[in-house]
Amino acid sequence: MRSAALVLGVIGGLLAMLVGFFSYGYTEFIDQYGEIEGLAEQVDRVGLIRAVSFLSPLLAIAGGAMAKIRALWGGVLLLISAAAMFYAFDFNAFTMFPIGFTVLGGLLAIAAGKPDEPKAHF
């Protein structure tokens, strides 16, 4: 389970990075060039969007990396990352996979009682 949490956390963090690049870039673009009525308008919470765009991928990747050795800490970081993405970006077509991967990775990391043991399956 820890290995699955590691993989899901890192992949979720990389996908969250794509969402973060776009979100941060969008707010910066609107600040530079202004709003286009009916097409591109500035979001209400620019500071929150920019902070979560930077911190959430970091937390997801760090949580995934920690999941192998410190499963509880890694799982908590993954769940915090998912909650921050959900709060800032809501659940939509672009955030469903980063949020889903980080939540599942966080739950698997927390549920992992013992380290993964190599076993023969047949």
Side-chain angles (χ1 to χ4, degrees), residues 77-100:
L77 288 179
L78 285 165
L79 292 176
I80 290 171
S81 172
M85 281 189 280
F86 183 74
Y87 181 71
F89 305 128
D90 292 326
F91 190 82
N92 57 49
F94 300 105
T95 61
M96 67 179 165
F97 287 111
I99 291 172

Side-chain angles (χ1 to χ4, degrees), residues 50-61:
R50 289 180 180 178
V52 171
S53 293
F54 176 69
L55 293 174
S56 189
L58 285 178
L59 291 175
I61 292 171

Side-chain angles (χ1 to χ4, degrees), residues 5-120:
L6 182 146
V7 171
L8 287 169
V10 170
I11 292 173
L14 293 175
L15 293 174
M17 226 187 306
L18 291 174
V19 174
F21 283 144
F22 178 78
S23 300
Y24 196 99
Y26 178 83
T27 60
E28 197 60 39
F29 179 83
I30 298 298
D31 278 349
Q32 282 289 89
Y33 299 106
E35 295 182 351
I36 301 169
E37 189 65 37
L39 180 64
E41 298 175 358
Q42 189 61 282
V43 296
D44 293 333
R45 306 169 294 183
V46 176
L48 174 71
I49 296 296
R50 289 180 180 178
V52 171
S53 293
F54 176 69
L55 293 174
S56 189
L58 285 178
L59 291 175
I61 292 171
M66 294 171 85
K68 193 86 166 157
I69 304 299
R70 298 277 187 187
L72 179 63
W73 294 4
V76 168
L77 288 179
L78 285 165
L79 292 176
I80 290 171
S81 172
M85 281 189 280
F86 183 74
Y87 181 71
F89 305 128
D90 292 326
F91 190 82
N92 57 49
F94 300 105
T95 61
M96 67 179 165
F97 287 111
I99 291 172
F101 284 7
T102 53
V103 165
L104 183 58
L107 293 176
L108 286 175
I110 290 173
K114 297 180 183 176
D116 293 338
E117 300 172 9
K119 295 180 185 176

